[in-house]
Amino acid sequence: MTTDALVLDAAAQDLLFREARTANTFTDEPVSEEQVQAIYELVKFGPTAFNQQPLRVVLVRSEEGRERLVQHMADGNKAKTAAAPLVAILAADNEFHEELPTQLPHFPQAKDMFFSERSVREQSATLNGALQAAYFIIGVRAAGLAAGPMTGYDADGLNKEFFGDGEHSVLAVVNIGKPGEDAWFPRSPRLAYDEVVTTV
């Protein structure tokens, strides 16, 4: 398949997609605050419905924070989470609508018109927070780092441990750093274009 139809050069395509993998091991090289800020300043522009921005990120750097996190991870994820240079807990803020008047200034009434019911907010926060989480992972790759996103954890435990207000829902835990030795499994198959795309 030719890459000539894309504006992004082949090296960038490889960095973000073709050669990028979910990392399971990392070197001990630290991930700086500046790197994470640069990642966020890039990916915050990814599109969401109503320009809502439900994503919230807790960076786990301290030993004490890491211990609190690891106890809520599934057994198969404990060791790699304990060893990663940086771990990000990605969550959706179910009260994101409070910020809509400033984030959607041309339509401030959207806050009450569409999101007055908690169940509607939770559904929207989960969908759009997941979109933002995907942008975040691509941003990690754009920084030349590897991401190891995981959903193997006690979600209720993490919500209580790191948010504690009943207003957030954890979406993923992402290990971040430079890939270590034997960082990934062989590339798994992907569906072909004709198996996914239909034209009508």
Side-chain angles (χ1 to χ4, degrees), residues 26 62 98 104 122 129 136 183 192 195 198:
F26 298 89
S62 70
E98 296 294 348
L104 199 68
E122 287 182 351
F136 182 86
E195 295 176 285
T198 304

Side-chain angles (χ1 to χ4, degrees), residues 1-13:
M1 173 64 188
T2 179
T3 61
D4 294 345
L6 302 175
V7 173
L8 203 64
D9 68 54
Q13 294 171 36

Side-chain angles (χ1 to χ4, degrees), residues 95-166:
E95 298 300 309
F96 69 88
H97 68 307
E98 296 294 348
E99 297 165 341
L100 276 184
T102 59
Q103 302 308 304
L104 199 68
H106 65 281
F107 189 22
Q109 61 269 36
K111 172 190 170 186
D112 297 316
M113 186 178 295
F114 296 103
F115 300 110
S116 60
E117 294 182 22
R118 171 68 184 236
S119 61
V120 173
R121 291 199 304 275
E122 287 182 351
Q123 184 178 22
S124 192
T126 297
L127 171 60
N128 289 280
L131 283 173
Q132 289 189 290
Y135 302 144
F136 182 86
I137 291 166
I138 298 300
V140 168
R141 294 173 172 183
L145 300 168
M150 300 169 290
T151 55
Y153 48 72
D154 172 10
D156 289 339
L158 282 179
N159 282 327
K160 291 173 184 174
E161 187 77 42
F162 289 94
F163 298 97
D165 57 6

